[in-house]
Amino acid sequence: MATHNYNLLYLVLIISLITITSPASAQLSVSFYDTTCPSVFNTVRFVVRSAINRETRMGASLIRLFFHDCFVNGCDGGILLDDTGSFVGEKTAGPNANSVRGFDVIDRIKAQVDKACGSPVVSCADILAIAARDSVVALGGPSYSVPVGRRDATTASKSTANTDLPSPFQDLRSIAQKFTNKGLTFGDMVALSGAHTVGFAQCRTFRTRLYNESNIEPNLATSLKTNCAATAGSTDSNLAPLDSQSPNRFGNNYYQGLINNKGLLHSDQVLFNGGQADSIVKTYSDDADTFNTDFASAMVKLGNLSPLTGTAGQVRVDCKKVN
């Protein structure tokens, strides 16, 4: 019996070691491409800055693209895939259709990175993560290290995008639950919402708030109504800044705006409406350094959501389609 127990223990130990060291369980690392593509970070940064120099709004778009990728089945580049005969991709999901953008920039980055590396060794998922960080920095936000080593998904899910992504029409509890479902905290949610310090939203996403809610600053409401009609129609896609104070500069003005009822989306203003998030919003509105630190930390956590590593997935040659 003792010999049997010893053999069983030995077998369990061997299986455990195999599991721990298997490629599929590999961890993300900042140094992942040190030997295979040491210039990846510089190459991504150059293309991102060029894109933002051409159109400042692109920085916010790339940050959003990364968030919408990670929130659907993890940070796997799934959002970049076009529809195929075997699956309907995420680009046409409700939160993404005619809204998420920056795919052309990702394609340009991929081409430049593959050229610099000599072959397609850097995944589209990693390019998204690096590009989001570089966009934050280019717009004046905090820098942070981006662990890499993600691989690309071979499928995508429109239905999961529709159910998992937060909606601009949802209340605080529903939004918080979606973050909790991903293993992110309530604090992470409030910090990541600060990405709305840059970028724009379409009239169709804030019309209901604009014409039906009372907790919106009167002068802001009057201004918005000149470009966003009360009924659906020609103004649906008209843009307004998410942060009316500095839509092209990353900072804590977003939270200061919430305290003054200047949240553009319903999902923005619920962060400061007599609820659990009020105290965090007040802290961030007063202390930009604390916001920057928490935002950077939350972005790293976001980037760690269910990555494919080791031999899982693939490194796509073309980010729009499976190899």
Side-chain angles (χ1 to χ4, degrees):
M1 179 65 71
T3 301
H4 173 75
N5 288 342
Y6 175 83
N7 289 338
L8 181 61
L9 179 62
Y10 181 77
L11 179 61
V12 170
L13 178 61
I14 292 298
I15 292 174
S16 298
L17 286 173
I18 292 173
T19 302
I20 291 171
T21 57
S22 66
S25 65
Q27 298 298 304
L28 304 182
S29 168
V30 176
S31 61
F32 185 84
Y33 295 115
D34 277 4
T35 56
T36 56
C37 189
S39 63
V40 58
F41 289 105
N42 287 336
T43 304
V44 175
R45 184 184 305 114
F46 177 80
V47 181
V48 167
R49 286 187 175 272
S50 297
I52 293 175
N53 285 339
R54 283 193 297 271
E55 183 197 11
T56 308
R57 180 187 168 210
M58 185 53 68
S61 297
L62 291 173
I63 297 168
R64 184 168 183 251
L65 191 58
F66 172 62
F67 178 87
H68 280 227
D69 180 46
C70 291
F71 238 71
V72 182
N73 296 327
C75 306
D76 60 3
I79 196 171
L80 304 174
L81 288 172
D82 289 337
D83 296 349
T84 71
S86 58
F87 66 82
V88 178
E90 298 160 24
K91 290 181 178 180
T92 56
N96 296 333
N98 301 313
S99 174
V100 170
R101 58 199 294 273
F103 299 107
D104 55 329
V105 177
I106 297 301
D107 287 341
R108 288 203 299 272
I109 296 172
K110 174 67 170 170
Q112 290 300 313
V113 167
D114 287 355
K115 181 179 179 181
C117 301
S119 62
V121 296
V122 177
S123 68
C124 302
D126 275 343
I127 286 173
L128 276 174
I130 301 168
R133 187 274 311 274
D134 290 344
S135 295
V136 171
V137 175
L139 296 174
S143 184
Y144 52 91
S145 296
V146 179
V148 288
R150 301 168 189 80
R151 287 167 65 85
D152 298 320
T154 55
T155 188
S157 174
K158 177 180 180 178
S159 60
T160 305
N162 279 327
T163 57
D164 286 15
L165 285 166
S167 161
F169 310 107
Q170 288 184 308
D171 290 324
L172 184 60
R173 179 178 296 183
S174 299
I175 298 169
Q177 186 60 55
K178 290 193 171 184
F179 278 77
T180 300
N181 292 345
K182 300 299 178 183
L184 298 169
T185 67
F186 189 88
D188 293 330
M189 176 200 68
V190 181
L192 288 171
S193 296
H196 283 184
T197 186
V198 291
F200 295 77
Q202 298 180 30
C203 165
R204 61 186 175 88
T205 64
F206 61 84
R207 172 184 285 119
T208 301
R209 165 162 165 73
L210 179 58
Y211 287 96
N212 295 280
E213 298 179 11
S214 58
N215 60 341
I216 182 168
E217 199 275 327
N219 291 329
L220 174 63
T222 299
S223 174
L224 291 172
K225 287 177 180 178
T226 63
N227 203 37
C228 182
T231 56
S234 60
T235 64
D236 284 5
S237 60
N238 287 354
L239 298 175
L242 288 158
D243 178 354
S244 58
Q245 297 182 73
S246 57
N248 294 318
R249 189 69 181 169
F250 196 98
N252 65 338
N253 286 340
Y254 168 77
Y255 299 101
Q256 295 168 357
L258 295 182
I259 290 176
N260 292 306
N261 286 335
K262 290 184 176 182
L264 181 66
L265 306 177
H266 175 81
S267 57
D268 289 323
Q269 197 57 55
V270 296
L271 295 177
F272 192 81
N273 196 35
Q276 183 183 352
D278 282 19
S279 60
I280 305 176
V281 170
K282 288 179 180 176
T283 296
Y284 290 162
S285 71
D286 292 333
D287 190 341
D289 289 341
T290 297
F291 162 56
N292 284 338
T293 298
D294 289 355
F295 179 82
S297 175
M299 284 291 279
V300 174
K301 289 178 68 175
L302 177 66
N304 286 336
L305 293 183
S306 306
L308 298 172
T309 58
T311 57
Q314 61 182 213
V315 176
R316 288 184 218 135
V317 176
D318 182 340
C319 290
K320 298 186 295 296
K321 58 186 181 181
V322 176
N323 294 346

